Amino acid sequence: MKLFCFVLLLCIASGLSAPAQTVPVGPNFVLLVVPEKDTVETSTSTYRLSASTAPGSTVTVNGKSYKVYPSGAFCGKLILVVGENPFFITSTDPAGVAVAKSFVINRSKPIEATPVDTLRIEDIMMQPYQDMWLTEGDILEVQFKGTPGGKASFMNGIPMKERPMTQGRGVAGIYRATYRVKSTDTLLSQPIVFRLEGRDSTVTKSTYALVSFKSRQLPLVGITKGERPYLNTGLGEDRLGGHKFSIINPGIRLKITGKVGNMYRVELAENHTVWIEDSYVDLQPEGTFLPKSLTGDMNVSPGEKADVVSLSLNDKLPYSSMQQVNPSRIIVDVFGATSNTNWITQQLTTKEIKDVYYNQVESDVFRLTIELKHKQIWGYEIGYDGTTLKIKVRPQPENLKLKELAFAIDAGHGGENRGALGSTGVLEKNITFAVVTHLREILEKKGARVILTRPDDTNPRMTDRFMRAYTGGADMLISVHANSIGLTTDPALTKGSGTFYKHIAYRPLSQFILQEVLKTGLDTLGNVGSFNFSLNGPTEFPTALVETAFLSNPEDEMKLMDDEFRKELAERIVDGIEEFLDYCEE
């Protein structure tokens, strides 16, 4: 058992990994990495091919020759027609031994108009497609696809118009309408019923989504719960989730004014609406007083580890923060608060806070501005002690040497979350762990204290990764990843390294790291800001995400598979951190 564990750890540390599919035994083989299955479905006109074979072999795909890299990788972009697309890979090694691999990509038909010889309403493109709560003045948008040329209506006769083909994805028979909710509307958890009339017949169909008009019940009060609940700016989604407006505390009272799917709509102030997942909220009984407060005493004082701004309130209200640079400031907006503060008591012994002042920027938005003594913001956290809002501002460390600091290092992915795939089957989770292992060794040799957010081949939640850094007393957090393109472009065309940040004050850290990493000879992807990655979100300490290189690109993949190159990457990241520390000392 001990021998097995040693071998497993050795494989992880060296970046070795089990391929996405089992490599056939023999002098020649074809390993198909993307597509990941022998038969896949897509609606796109192109699809990525990433695969590998025995180095030195020649490869054709449907008779077309492909470049084989020294690692054995080959890749490209496949062009698809509607319907079945069979592909045949043939690899011939230097000894003349040929092996083959076949796969099929089925491209679905684009949306077509409903045939005119039948009268029907289809499920596809039907809106609303999520349950929702609406109140007086809200707009309900409805849509369905059906037989062109009909007379359409919804909700007992409200007319709908068939849109021109230019507004309906080039498809006829798209009917749309909007409706403004009235205070007298009483729909409660009911579907929207559509009606389509033809020359000789009529059809009806109901949405799967249930709609409630809750003018008499809304607004409601919700209280936040769970670990690090957060507010979203809107209902948009991508691979990083919706855009996060603010991370807040449990126990904060929110004004709930509607719901779409599993997202409550929150009215922070008269002109500010955000959204929060229902799993983060406990609804309170009807009649619960809405969140609001007058502000009271305000104090600025030094603490053992941070300067503290205290604002007295009589309710736990939601808030957001932003950063400014040149000069460095922290801006905190408290929603639902109205100023009744007539002075601020500021101690002269604060280490980081230079000045604090406030403005009533809107009738229900109270803004705190905190000016700092140093150009670099080193972190802050916002929370409540009872109903007193406290903003704890970390001072710049007195000694900006590696040996005096603690670094949280995050190896991206892990466990069942393997991350990106290289053409040879190498896994991102193993590459990142190998780079982080070198990072740890280099930092510890220089006397730094290191906190690993993922010390083994597991996949901790992002909240757990952050908490390991926070409770471990980290002075900064570096998350290491390997990049990949999507499924519709050519892997050979995109490569290079990039660094990512969310908060503007933490950009310098990411810039210095990128400048050093590019000295390895990697191409540049660039420095990316406002990045919505979970570990870029904390304000408690500077953070940076390093996308070392594109694992989907065969040339970058070969570099990332080289442990000496991974060690050089780690050295350059440390060099970038030291450049950042020198910048802070200037």
Side-chain angles (χ1 to χ4, degrees):
M1 184 66 181
K2 289 183 179 179
L3 178 60
F4 171 79
C5 292
F6 172 78
V7 172
L8 178 61
L9 290 173
L10 180 62
C11 290
I12 292 173
S14 63
L16 300 175
S17 62
Q21 301 177 28
T22 303
V23 179
V25 178
N28 199 7
F29 64 89
V30 173
L31 172 66
L32 184 62
V33 175
V34 178
E36 293 190 54
K37 298 179 180 179
D38 290 342
T39 301
V40 296
E41 309 288 333
T42 186
S43 60
T44 62
S45 60
T46 60
Y47 209 90
R48 168 187 164 191
L49 171 66
S50 291
S52 58
T53 187
S57 300
T58 58
V59 168
T60 62
V61 181
N62 287 4
K64 177 184 175 181
S65 295
Y66 274 66
K67 176 181 178 179
V68 178
Y69 291 82
S71 62
F74 59 96
C75 65
K77 181 173 71 173
L78 304 172
I79 307 300
L80 308 178
V81 298
V82 173
E84 185 177 277
N85 293 263
F87 292 95
F88 302 93
I89 302 173
T90 301
S91 172
T92 305
D93 68 13
V97 177
V99 293
K101 175 74 176 178
S102 63
F103 61 96
V104 175
I105 302 178
N106 292 316
R107 179 185 170 192
S108 59
K109 292 182 179 180
I111 296 174
E112 298 177 340
T114 305
V116 296
D117 57 350
T118 59
L119 186 68
R120 70 173 187 261
I121 298 172
E122 300 189 50
D123 290 335
I124 190 170
M125 298 179 67
M126 186 178 287
Q127 293 182 15
Y129 54 88
Q130 296 184 88
D131 295 351
M132 56 177 57
W133 298 354
L134 301 174
T135 190
E136 180 181 2
D138 286 341
I139 301 297
L140 172 66
E141 296 180 335
V142 297
Q143 171 182 278
F144 73 81
K145 176 179 176 290
T147 306
K151 180 182 178 182
S153 62
F154 74 108
M155 281 175 47
N156 298 321
I158 302 173
M160 302 177 69
K161 290 186 178 181
E162 183 177 358
R163 310 310 298 171
M165 291 178 61
T166 54
Q167 298 179 18
R169 302 187 189 179
V171 178
I174 307 299
Y175 298 87
R176 293 177 183 165
T178 59
Y179 176 74
R180 185 180 294 275
V181 179
K182 302 182 180 69
S183 62
T184 54
D185 288 329
T186 57
L187 196 67
L188 184 62
S189 294
Q190 296 294 317
I192 299 298
V193 180
F194 296 112
R195 179 183 177 92
L196 182 61
E197 300 178 40
R199 288 185 178 180
D200 305 314
S201 60
T202 299
V203 294
T204 61
K205 193 154 194 175
S206 300
T207 61
Y208 293 105
L210 303 180
V211 177
S212 295
F213 296 150
K214 291 198 168 205
S215 296
R216 298 176 185 176
Q217 292 81 32
L218 295 174
L220 293 170
V221 173
I223 297 180
T224 57
K225 62 180 181 179
E227 297 176 298
R228 294 176 68 80
Y230 57 88
L231 304 171
N232 278 6
T233 305
L235 291 174
E237 284 286 337
D238 64 13
R239 65 186 182 88
L240 294 175
H243 180 267
K244 293 177 179 61
F245 176 78
S246 178
I247 298 172
I248 55 178
N249 299 136
I252 289 178
R253 292 174 6 101
L254 304 174
K255 181 180 179 181
I256 307 296
T257 62
K259 190 179 185 184
V260 174
N262 69 335
M263 301 292 287
Y264 286 126
R265 184 176 62 194
V266 177
E267 183 180 302
L268 293 176
E270 185 176 350
N271 299 312
H272 296 268
T273 297
V274 294
W275 301 82
I276 187 170
E277 289 184 21
D278 56 13
S279 61
Y280 285 123
V281 176
D282 278 333
L283 287 182
Q284 303 303 294
E286 288 185 40
T288 301
F289 287 171
L290 298 176
K292 61 181 179 179
S293 177
L294 294 174
T295 66
D297 295 341
M298 191 183 304
N299 295 280
V300 183
S301 57
E304 183 179 350
K305 295 183 178 180
D307 295 341
V308 182
V309 180
S310 300
L311 174 64
S312 176
L313 299 167
N314 52 34
D315 206 349
K316 288 186 177 181
L317 300 178
Y319 52 79
S320 68
S321 72
M322 61 180 176
Q323 302 172 353
Q324 294 180 347
V325 295
N326 300 322
S328 56
R329 296 189 180 102
I330 301 167
I331 311 295
V332 179
D333 285 342
V334 187
F335 299 98
T338 302
S339 178
N340 193 42
T341 300
N342 292 310
W343 63 81
I344 306 173
T345 302
Q346 303 192 47
Q347 300 299 325
L348 301 179
T349 52
T350 52
K351 293 182 179 180
E352 188 59 48
I353 294 178
K354 178 181 179 182
D355 194 11
V356 177
Y357 50 92
Y358 64 87
N359 303 89
Q360 191 74 45
V361 293
E362 297 178 27
S363 62
D364 47 3
V365 181
F366 183 82
R367 173 168 293 176
L368 279 164
T369 300
I370 305 169
E371 292 190 351
L372 306 184
K373 296 179 179 179
H374 294 91
K375 63 183 176 182
Q376 178 61 47
I377 296 174
W378 275 87
Y380 59 95
E381 58 181 296
I382 308 173
Y384 280 94
D385 181 3
T387 58
T388 297
L389 183 70
K390 293 199 170 184
I391 304 155
K392 299 178 180 179
V393 181
R394 294 179 54 156
Q396 178 165 295
E398 293 182 4
N399 191 329
L400 291 173
K401 302 300 180 184
L402 292 179
K403 65 181 181 179
E404 301 295 334
L405 301 175
F407 298 87
I409 309 297
D410 174 65
H413 306 278
E416 295 299 317
N417 184 354
R418 60 192 185 182
L421 294 170
S423 293
T424 64
V426 67
L427 307 181
E428 180 184 359
K429 68 170 187 174
N430 293 340
I431 295 294
T432 62
F433 194 92
V435 174
V436 163
T437 299
H438 287 303
L439 260 177
R440 178 184 184 178
E441 292 173 353
I442 296 167
L443 286 168
E444 289 182 340
K445 282 182 180 179
K446 290 176 176 283
R449 185 165 63 86
V450 175
I451 303 137
L452 296 182
T453 67
R454 174 168 80 85
D456 51 26
D457 188 22
T458 56
N459 183 32
R461 298 178 307 157
M462 289 298 176
T463 300
D464 294 334
R465 294 177 192 239
F466 164 77
M467 289 305 299
R468 286 179 182 174
Y470 176 74
T471 58
D475 292 298
M476 70 176 65
L477 184 150
I478 309 296
S479 185
V480 178
H481 286 251
N483 219 333
S484 179
I485 61 165
L487 293 176
T488 60
T489 51
D490 188 342
L493 301 181
T494 305
K495 59 182 179 178
S497 184
T499 54
F500 299 70
Y501 67 95
K502 180 171 184 178
H503 305 295
I504 187 62
Y506 302 154
R507 186 186 186 199
L509 173 61
S510 65
Q511 288 178 306
F512 283 114
I513 291 175
L514 179 60
Q515 290 169 7
E516 291 299 319
V517 166
L518 294 181
K519 293 179 181 178
T520 63
L522 287 166
D523 289 351
T524 178
L525 173 66
N527 183 231
V528 182
S530 299
F531 195 62
N532 198 35
F533 175 57
S534 294
L535 293 184
N536 283 131
T539 62
E540 284 81 354
F541 33 65
T543 69
L545 167 66
V546 184
E547 290 282 5
T548 52
F550 274 83
L551 200 54
S552 54
N553 178 275
E555 292 180 350
D556 278 6
E557 179 192 22
M558 285 190 291
K559 293 178 179 178
L560 291 175
M561 292 171 67
D562 180 353
D563 197 53
E564 285 301 313
F565 183 81
R566 295 195 295 257
K567 182 179 180 181
E568 183 184 1
L569 270 175
E571 291 169 343
R572 293 300 184 181
I573 292 171
V574 173
D575 289 344
I577 293 172
E578 291 187 301
E579 290 290 331
F580 168 72
L581 296 177
D582 290 343
Y583 156 84
C584 293
E585 270 192 321
E586 292 173 0

